[in-house]
Amino acid sequence: MMAGPGADDAGGGLARHIPVLLSEVLSALAPRPGETIVDGTFGAGGYTRALLEAGASVIATDRDPDAIAAGRALEAEAAGRLRLVEGPFSRLDALAGEPVDGVVLDIGVSSMQLDEAERGFSFRHDGPLDMRMAQAGASAADIVNRAGVSDLTRIFGLLGEERHAGRIARMIEKRRAERPFLRTRDLADAIERLVGRKPGDRIHPATRVFQGLRIFVNNELGELARALLAAERALKPGGRLAVVTFHSLEDRIVKRFLAERSGRAGGGSRHLPEAKGPAATFERPAAAVPPSEAEMTANPRARSARLRAAVRTAAPARGGELSDFDVPLIGGVSGANQ
Ligand SMILES: C[S@@+](CC[C@H](N)C(=O)[O-])C[C@H]1O[C@@H](n2cnc3c(N)ncnc32)[C@H](O)[C@@H]1O
């Protein structure tokens, strides 16, 4: 499941960013005055504002310098209760620099990123083929014009769940030999010419390719896996973790992590059935929470969102590797920008 039907760019979008699953996130985080919560994905500050209103202090991170710059006014208003830090949430424990009572992540792109043509996430608005949240490192154009056909096929097929991944990759290889792809609309039009668009198709034929590229350019799955490990290190005993994801690859990473860390998976073995696995680092993992019908009607972007939450125990963080998470590797890496 990728961004909901009707999305026609790298992740669906609205004119302004409406926080997704906000009341559900707040009940999972249960912020109290005097507590400190990390909002790992500050974006337009929707969650952060609500956390501040509940009396908590917030350390908010975002790797997009534009999001951080736009949040400085709120930081000034918050009179010492908000600290904004530019950086990747895979390092949220180091960026926070202190044990915290809650961590929230709202994975994906913001509507500001989608709607700004120059950021290159969308083909509704023509722009440079960029897609870099952090505005640094390899861009989508670098990948499209340089990656081999088999890597492009995996990016579109595994990360974008695109049925025509191989055909599209071969078309790109041929076309870029004559003229590189530099603009979002150029790539979207070339894909549409190749695979066609049937009347009644709810999404543009380039949507899944754009999503796969966005996930790879921003190393989104590797970042998510590392952020879960960072949250395990950062949370105090009793601290709450809440993660909102937008497609099945992301949700699976969070679901498996919480099942494993709450002792529902592993522990013991066929040969030593009485041997216990390491102590659970999380408890009370909640079933995935979808948005209400009312929220989906009011905000179609929310359609594929799922919230998962759990509570940190007092057991020491276990640590782990990217390979524990089944993050697909393409050309040996989980994404272009590590
Ligand atoms: C869906 S928006 C968050 C919206 C926010 N919850 C709100 O209510 O306004 C996601 C934000 O997370 C940021 N982001 C995505 N991946 C990130 C990462 N690995 N590290 C830090 N920030 C990231 C994006 O730049 C974007 O601003």
PDB file of all heavy atoms in Angstrom, residues 157-172:
ATOM      1  N   GLY A 157      10.519  -1.034  -8.368  1.00  0.00           N
ATOM      2  CA  GLY A 157       9.727  -2.227  -8.055  1.00  0.00           C
ATOM      3  C   GLY A 157       9.592  -2.466  -6.560  1.00  0.00           C
ATOM      4  O   GLY A 157       8.484  -2.650  -6.054  1.00  0.00           O
ATOM      5  N   LEU A 158      10.737  -2.442  -5.835  1.00  0.00           N
ATOM      6  CA  LEU A 158      10.686  -2.757  -4.400  1.00  0.00           C
ATOM      7  C   LEU A 158      10.191  -1.575  -3.583  1.00  0.00           C
ATOM      8  O   LEU A 158       9.392  -1.731  -2.677  1.00  0.00           O
ATOM      9  CB  LEU A 158      12.082  -3.125  -3.886  1.00  0.00           C
ATOM     10  CG  LEU A 158      12.634  -4.497  -4.266  1.00  0.00           C
ATOM     11  CD1 LEU A 158      14.057  -4.652  -3.743  1.00  0.00           C
ATOM     12  CD2 LEU A 158      11.736  -5.563  -3.654  1.00  0.00           C
ATOM     13  N   LEU A 159      10.708  -0.396  -3.881  1.00  0.00           N
ATOM     14  CA  LEU A 159      10.365   0.767  -3.053  1.00  0.00           C
ATOM     15  C   LEU A 159       9.109   1.473  -3.557  1.00  0.00           C
ATOM     16  O   LEU A 159       8.400   2.106  -2.782  1.00  0.00           O
ATOM     17  CB  LEU A 159      11.533   1.758  -2.998  1.00  0.00           C
ATOM     18  CG  LEU A 159      12.872   1.173  -2.529  1.00  0.00           C
ATOM     19  CD1 LEU A 159      13.937   2.259  -2.464  1.00  0.00           C
ATOM     20  CD2 LEU A 159      12.722   0.503  -1.164  1.00  0.00           C
ATOM     21  N   GLY A 160       8.849   1.375  -4.876  1.00  0.00           N
ATOM     22  CA  GLY A 160       7.661   2.037  -5.423  1.00  0.00           C
ATOM     23  C   GLY A 160       6.518   1.067  -5.678  1.00  0.00           C
ATOM     24  O   GLY A 160       5.421   1.495  -5.975  1.00  0.00           O
ATOM     25  N   GLU A 161       6.789  -0.232  -5.601  1.00  0.00           N
ATOM     26  CA  GLU A 161       5.782  -1.252  -5.901  1.00  0.00           C
ATOM     27  C   GLU A 161       5.155  -1.016  -7.275  1.00  0.00           C
ATOM     28  O   GLU A 161       3.946  -1.108  -7.468  1.00  0.00           O
ATOM     29  CB  GLU A 161       4.731  -1.311  -4.772  1.00  0.00           C
ATOM     30  CG  GLU A 161       5.366  -1.784  -3.473  1.00  0.00           C
ATOM     31  CD  GLU A 161       4.459  -1.712  -2.255  1.00  0.00           C
ATOM     32  OE1 GLU A 161       3.614  -0.801  -2.187  1.00  0.00           O
ATOM     33  OE2 GLU A 161       4.622  -2.553  -1.360  1.00  0.00           O
ATOM     34  N   GLU A 162       6.028  -0.689  -8.247  1.00  0.00           N
ATOM     35  CA  GLU A 162       5.609  -0.408  -9.620  1.00  0.00           C
ATOM     36  C   GLU A 162       5.680  -1.696 -10.439  1.00  0.00           C
ATOM     37  O   GLU A 162       6.743  -2.310 -10.506  1.00  0.00           O
ATOM     38  CB  GLU A 162       6.526   0.684 -10.214  1.00  0.00           C
ATOM     39  CG  GLU A 162       6.424   0.881 -11.703  1.00  0.00           C
ATOM     40  CD  GLU A 162       5.012   1.192 -12.169  1.00  0.00           C
ATOM     41  OE1 GLU A 162       4.448   2.178 -11.685  1.00  0.00           O
ATOM     42  OE2 GLU A 162       4.486   0.429 -13.008  1.00  0.00           O
ATOM     43  N   ARG A 163       4.571  -2.075 -11.071  1.00  0.00           N
ATOM     44  CA  ARG A 163       4.510  -3.321 -11.854  1.00  0.00           C
ATOM     45  C   ARG A 163       5.415  -3.272 -13.081  1.00  0.00           C
ATOM     46  O   ARG A 163       5.940  -4.274 -13.531  1.00  0.00           O
ATOM     47  CB  ARG A 163       3.076  -3.540 -12.356  1.00  0.00           C
ATOM     48  CG  ARG A 163       2.198  -4.253 -11.398  1.00  0.00           C
ATOM     49  CD  ARG A 163       0.888  -4.660 -12.044  1.00  0.00           C
ATOM     50  NE  ARG A 163       0.187  -3.516 -12.659  1.00  0.00           N
ATOM     51  CZ  ARG A 163      -0.383  -3.541 -13.862  1.00  0.00           C
ATOM     52  NH1 ARG A 163      -0.331  -4.620 -14.605  1.00  0.00           N
ATOM     53  NH2 ARG A 163      -1.029  -2.476 -14.316  1.00  0.00           N
ATOM     54  N   HIS A 164       5.537  -2.090 -13.696  1.00  0.00           N
ATOM     55  CA  HIS A 164       6.299  -1.972 -14.942  1.00  0.00           C
ATOM     56  C   HIS A 164       7.734  -1.512 -14.685  1.00  0.00           C
ATOM     57  O   HIS A 164       8.345  -0.875 -15.552  1.00  0.00           O
ATOM     58  CB  HIS A 164       5.620  -0.966 -15.875  1.00  0.00           C
ATOM     59  CG  HIS A 164       4.193  -1.302 -16.176  1.00  0.00           C
ATOM     60  ND1 HIS A 164       3.822  -2.407 -16.907  1.00  0.00           N
ATOM     61  CD2 HIS A 164       3.039  -0.693 -15.823  1.00  0.00           C
ATOM     62  CE1 HIS A 164       2.507  -2.451 -17.005  1.00  0.00           C
ATOM     63  NE2 HIS A 164       2.004  -1.428 -16.348  1.00  0.00           N
ATOM     64  N   ALA A 165       8.270  -1.843 -13.496  1.00  0.00           N
ATOM     65  CA  ALA A 165       9.572  -1.303 -13.093  1.00  0.00           C
ATOM     66  C   ALA A 165      10.657  -1.557 -14.144  1.00  0.00           C
ATOM     67  O   ALA A 165      11.418  -0.647 -14.505  1.00  0.00           O
ATOM     68  CB  ALA A 165       9.983  -1.899 -11.748  1.00  0.00           C
ATOM     69  N   GLY A 166      10.770  -2.791 -14.636  1.00  0.00           N
ATOM     70  CA  GLY A 166      11.833  -3.146 -15.583  1.00  0.00           C
ATOM     71  C   GLY A 166      11.696  -2.387 -16.897  1.00  0.00           C
ATOM     72  O   GLY A 166      12.681  -1.846 -17.418  1.00  0.00           O
ATOM     73  N   ARG A 167      10.481  -2.315 -17.403  1.00  0.00           N
ATOM     74  CA  ARG A 167      10.261  -1.587 -18.674  1.00  0.00           C
ATOM     75  C   ARG A 167      10.612  -0.121 -18.517  1.00  0.00           C
ATOM     76  O   ARG A 167      11.217   0.498 -19.392  1.00  0.00           O
ATOM     77  CB  ARG A 167       8.778  -1.654 -19.066  1.00  0.00           C
ATOM     78  CG  ARG A 167       8.402  -2.879 -19.853  1.00  0.00           C
ATOM     79  CD  ARG A 167       6.912  -2.857 -20.112  1.00  0.00           C
ATOM     80  NE  ARG A 167       6.512  -1.878 -21.120  1.00  0.00           N
ATOM     81  CZ  ARG A 167       5.283  -1.382 -21.236  1.00  0.00           C
ATOM     82  NH1 ARG A 167       4.329  -1.747 -20.409  1.00  0.00           N
ATOM     83  NH2 ARG A 167       4.995  -0.516 -22.194  1.00  0.00           N
ATOM     84  N   ILE A 168      10.219   0.438 -17.406  1.00  0.00           N
ATOM     85  CA  ILE A 168      10.476   1.873 -17.192  1.00  0.00           C
ATOM     86  C   ILE A 168      11.985   2.107 -17.060  1.00  0.00           C
ATOM     87  O   ILE A 168      12.534   3.058 -17.628  1.00  0.00           O
ATOM     88  CB  ILE A 168       9.697   2.400 -15.962  1.00  0.00           C
ATOM     89  CG1 ILE A 168       8.188   2.325 -16.240  1.00  0.00           C
ATOM     90  CG2 ILE A 168      10.116   3.824 -15.607  1.00  0.00           C
ATOM     91  CD1 ILE A 168       7.299   2.607 -15.028  1.00  0.00           C
ATOM     92  N   ALA A 169      12.673   1.213 -16.340  1.00  0.00           N
ATOM     93  CA  ALA A 169      14.127   1.367 -16.172  1.00  0.00           C
ATOM     94  C   ALA A 169      14.833   1.289 -17.527  1.00  0.00           C
ATOM     95  O   ALA A 169      15.757   2.069 -17.813  1.00  0.00           O
ATOM     96  CB  ALA A 169      14.655   0.291 -15.229  1.00  0.00           C
ATOM     97  N   ARG A 170      14.390   0.363 -18.381  1.00  0.00           N
ATOM     98  CA  ARG A 170      15.043   0.229 -19.705  1.00  0.00           C
ATOM     99  C   ARG A 170      14.753   1.454 -20.570  1.00  0.00           C
ATOM    100  O   ARG A 170      15.626   1.933 -21.294  1.00  0.00           O
ATOM    101  CB  ARG A 170      14.587  -1.068 -20.390  1.00  0.00           C
ATOM    102  CG  ARG A 170      15.185  -2.319 -19.727  1.00  0.00           C
ATOM    103  CD  ARG A 170      14.967  -3.568 -20.551  1.00  0.00           C
ATOM    104  NE  ARG A 170      13.568  -3.927 -20.683  1.00  0.00           N
ATOM    105  CZ  ARG A 170      12.846  -4.593 -19.756  1.00  0.00           C
ATOM    106  NH1 ARG A 170      13.421  -4.996 -18.637  1.00  0.00           N
ATOM    107  NH2 ARG A 170      11.578  -4.864 -19.950  1.00  0.00           N
ATOM    108  N   MET A 171      13.547   1.974 -20.500  1.00  0.00           N
ATOM    109  CA  MET A 171      13.219   3.195 -21.250  1.00  0.00           C
ATOM    110  C   MET A 171      14.125   4.345 -20.790  1.00  0.00           C
ATOM    111  O   MET A 171      14.662   5.106 -21.595  1.00  0.00           O
ATOM    112  CB  MET A 171      11.737   3.539 -21.035  1.00  0.00           C
ATOM    113  CG  MET A 171      11.258   4.847 -21.647  1.00  0.00           C
ATOM    114  SD  MET A 171      11.615   6.331 -20.669  1.00  0.00           S
ATOM    115  CE  MET A 171      10.485   6.165 -19.293  1.00  0.00           C
ATOM    116  N   ILE A 172      14.321   4.436 -19.476  1.00  0.00           N
ATOM    117  CA  ILE A 172      15.145   5.531 -18.942  1.00  0.00           C
ATOM    118  C   ILE A 172      16.581   5.402 -19.457  1.00  0.00           C
ATOM    119  O   ILE A 172      17.203   6.380 -19.895  1.00  0.00           O
ATOM    120  CB  ILE A 172      15.102   5.525 -17.389  1.00  0.00           C
ATOM    121  CG1 ILE A 172      13.737   6.055 -16.926  1.00  0.00           C
ATOM    122  CG2 ILE A 172      16.250   6.340 -16.790  1.00  0.00           C
ATOM    123  CD1 ILE A 172      13.517   6.001 -15.421  1.00  0.00           C
TER     124      ILE A 172
END
